[in-house]
């Protein structure tokens, strides 16, 4: 496309946007919305409130919804896998998700941690 054709196309787009802007300027609904927003912001400034304060007053449960989303994200941690240890000396089996198991601690104290870890069945 030549520079002149590109210029004319952009000029037409600009003219169309200016016409749309004039139509919006004459729209009564838009004028009422602008007036409402202006009055609302003046009122908020007069009483020292923010939009967040107003939302909290009108919908007190809205802050709970955000907190619930944060809890779900926090709770999305992968669950620990169950480990099964089998003592070859006594045949006793211990199932645990962590290392804080009484019998497992006794075995580690008696046989050593490396030896007990080698008894991991799963």
């Amino acid at each position: 496309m030549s520079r002149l054709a590109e210029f004319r196309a952009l000029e037409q787009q600009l003219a169309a946007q200016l016409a749309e802007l004039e139509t919006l300027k004459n729209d009564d609904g838009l004028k009422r919305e602008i007036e409402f927003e202006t009055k609302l912001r003046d009122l908020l400034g007069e009483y020292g409130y923010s939009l967040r304060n107003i939302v909290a007053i009108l919908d007190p449960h809205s802050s709970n919804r955000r907190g619930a989303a944060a809890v779900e994200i926090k709770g999305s941690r992968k669950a620990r896998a169950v480990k099964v240890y089998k003592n070859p000396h006594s045949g006793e089996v211990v199932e645990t998700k962590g290392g804080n198991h009484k019998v497992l601690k006794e075995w580690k104290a008696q046989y050593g941690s490396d030896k007990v870890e080698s008894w991991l069945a799963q």
Side-chain angles (χ1 to χ4, degrees), residues 9-83:
L10 287 173
E11 198 174 41
Q12 287 176 350
Q13 288 176 355
L14 180 60
Q17 286 180 342
L18 286 172
E20 188 177 346
L21 182 62
E22 284 300 317
T23 305
L24 282 174
K25 281 183 180 178
N26 297 329
D27 185 26
D28 290 334
L30 178 63
K31 287 180 182 178
R32 285 187 296 161
E33 283 185 40
I34 292 172
E35 181 183 0
F36 175 76
E37 181 187 16
T38 305
K39 287 181 179 179
L40 179 62
R41 292 203 182 272
D42 291 342
L43 192 62
L44 289 173
E46 181 180 335
Y47 287 97
Y49 278 91
S50 69
L51 290 174
R52 195 169 290 199
N53 298 124
I54 300 304
V55 169
I57 291 170
L58 295 176
D59 187 11
H61 302 294
S62 67
S63 63
N64 292 346
R65 288 186 214 129
R66 287 187 184 151
V71 170
E72 289 175 19
I73 291 170
K74 188 176 181 181
S76 64
R77 181 178 170 188
K78 183 181 170 186
R80 292 183 180 177
V82 175
K83 293 182 179 181

Side-chain angles (χ1 to χ4, degrees), residues 59-111:
D59 187 11
H61 302 294
S62 67
S63 63
N64 292 346
R65 288 186 214 129
R66 287 187 184 151
V71 170
E72 289 175 19
I73 291 170
K74 188 176 181 181
S76 64
R77 181 178 170 188
K78 183 181 170 186
R80 292 183 180 177
V82 175
K83 293 182 179 181
V84 179
Y85 296 90
K86 183 174 180 182
N87 186 332
H89 303 288
S90 64
E92 189 177 0
V93 176
V94 171
E95 294 182 10
T96 182
K97 288 188 175 184
N100 198 18
H101 192 278
K102 182 180 178 182
V103 175
L104 193 59
K105 281 184 176 182
E106 290 174 2
W107 288 352
K108 286 182 179 183
Q110 184 177 357
Y111 300 106

